[in-house]
Amino acid sequence: MTAMAEFLGSAWWLIVSLGVLVSIHEYGHFWVARRCGVKVLRFSIGFGKPLWMRRGRDGTEYVIAAIPLGGYVKMLDENQLPESPSGHGTLSEQELEQSFNRKPVWKRIAIVAAGPVANLALCVALLWAMFVIGRPDYAPVVGQSERIAAEAGLQPGDTVLAVGDRATPTWSEVQMALVPAALDRADVTLRVADSEGRERSVDLPLDRLPEDFDERNAVGVIGLLPRHQQPPALVGQVQPEGAAWGVLAEGDLITAIDGVPIHSWSDIGPEVQKLGERGGTAMIEVERDDERLALEIQPRLTRSEDGRQFWALGVISPNGGRAPKDALLRYGPLQAVPAAFAEAGHQAGELFAMIGRAFTGRVSIENTVAGPITIARAANAFAGQGLAWYLSILAMLSLSLGILNLLPIPILDGGHLLYYLIELVKGSPVSERVMAAGQYVGLALIAGLMGLAFYNDIVNNLVP
């Protein structure tokens, strides 16, 4: 049931996200085309058979189609129509004036560029809304420090104030700043404050990362575990007929098992397994109502839903073992304006840098190109955390769509812009033969990119 709910949720949020992004992108083309005097024949959200269609007073057909994975704006163009909209074999004088191909090159550039620009503008607007609403997150506090992080001097309880020149008010910002540095194996300086508020600088020598480290767990490989991933060993519920029934109570804070200190919920499992394999009873120490108690307990062998056996006490943590979010990334309406532009600029820079890493082989391609399954699952997961989180991933997707469409690949907006720039330089349009060859090259590149995206989806999401 959970898997089905996740599937349906992912499909729904993928459709919603693509619907928003495509609508804004195509509306950018549509709006500028109309202002440049070009007749728009059809404005379609989706491809294939129309599910809904209405013809406006301007003669434009507004369509919602069956396949919700894109959209298009069809403009009057004498090079693409065998007949005029009025049914004649040639275009009338009025239709020629409204034809896209008859417009000056600067107007064609404006119309084509309007789609990606609309997505970039949407990205800024979404980030502004996210900042104003406020995105709940976790404080950037170190819970555990090992390997490179420990050797550099990071200690549990340190608050990461900045990574390089990027402020890190939440743990998400810490991750987003550390991952690119790890991929480049570039040493980075952290500004941190200890539990008493004393600030200092810590240099992380990321050039010491192994060559084949897990890029999706770069922060963990560095040796950093945030505090929120170490929730206190607080008992939220005692299962009837479990080993702890009648021994522990809701609200107990487990501090030690068989003399071994317990600092977080994740410490309980390994100690219980050791205790069960050794056999017999042991003392479990807890704090209850400001009292310290030592209670006798014996784990019981339990079988999970998949048939795996393990030793358990029969206790459940509050919130499923997750710590409550204790930070809020938020700005006032005016402060959010420059913050949104700055964040959009930063994310754009990181996107270009990631593309560069992929082409130079500094990052594996399967972690660079995401397909619809990955996007759908991410959209579902972000939406589950609240509106602000969903706006943040929608902004990132809008930015990606805008920038990727500007790449000089034929059949994309960037490819058409390249043709028009060449036309500006040489003083005449690119020949039909060159454009046809470009279309084939563009189709091959896009097909290869889509194939890679689907392959990455299968490997990262469907292969056990």
Side-chain angles (χ1 to χ4, degrees), residues 63-270:
V63 175
I64 296 178
I67 305 175
L69 297 177
Y72 62 92
V73 169
K74 184 177 181 180
M75 290 173 276
L76 180 61
D77 189 327
E78 63 181 321
N79 294 328
Q80 297 180 9
L81 290 176
E83 330 184 90
S84 71
S86 58
H88 298 91
T90 59
L91 296 176
S92 66
E93 286 298 325
Q94 181 181 5
E95 289 168 340
L96 286 175
E97 291 179 1
Q98 297 177 315
S99 180
F100 174 80
N101 65 292
R102 289 294 185 100
K103 295 300 178 182
V105 65
W106 68 267
K107 285 191 176 183
R108 283 177 276 146
I109 289 175
I111 293 169
V112 172
V117 169
N119 280 126
L120 300 181
L122 176 64
C123 170
V124 174
L126 291 170
L127 289 172
W128 177 86
M130 179 202 74
F131 285 134
V132 171
I133 293 171
R135 190 182 71 188
D137 209 324
Y138 294 105
V141 181
V142 177
Q144 185 176 330
S145 179
E146 304 176 322
R147 298 184 289 280
I148 294 175
E151 294 170 10
L154 281 171
Q155 301 174 1
D158 283 345
T159 299
V160 182
L161 304 176
V163 176
D165 58 358
R166 180 170 172 81
T168 53
T170 69
W171 188 260
S172 293
E173 271 66 40
V174 174
Q175 286 184 301
M176 288 189 289
L178 280 180
V179 169
L183 295 176
D184 292 336
R185 290 175 175 79
D187 297 349
V188 66
T189 299
L190 275 60
R191 183 163 57 89
V192 302
D194 62 21
S195 56
E196 296 183 2
R198 295 186 294 259
E199 295 188 17
R200 69 185 192 280
S201 295
V202 175
D203 295 323
L204 279 181
L206 300 183
D207 59 341
R208 293 168 50 190
L209 284 168
E211 288 295 325
D212 57 347
F213 74 91
D214 183 359
E215 297 163 355
R216 290 172 292 184
N217 185 33
V219 176
V221 176
I222 292 171
L224 281 178
L225 185 69
R227 181 182 65 184
H228 66 265
Q229 290 185 6
Q230 293 184 304
L234 191 68
V235 177
Q237 181 181 346
V238 181
Q239 295 178 317
E241 310 304 326
W245 184 254
V247 179
L248 300 181
E250 180 180 339
D252 284 351
L253 179 65
I254 301 174
T255 58
I257 295 177
D258 198 22
V260 178
I262 300 297
H263 301 290
S264 67
W265 187 265
S266 60
D267 294 337
I268 297 176

Side-chain angles (χ1 to χ4, degrees), residues 375-398:
I375 295 173
R377 295 185 67 177
N380 185 41
F382 275 62
Q385 297 185 65
L387 177 59
W389 276 97
Y390 178 66
L391 292 178
S392 70
I393 192 172
L394 198 59
M396 183 176 65
L397 292 173
S398 187

Side-chain angles (χ1 to χ4, degrees), residues 19-42:
V20 172
L21 300 182
V22 170
S23 297
I24 295 298
H25 180 95
E26 299 303 333
Y27 184 74
H29 291 309
F30 172 82
W31 190 85
V32 175
R34 293 286 300 275
R35 265 93 195 138
C36 289
V38 175
K39 182 176 179 60
V40 178
L41 304 178
R42 174 173 287 192

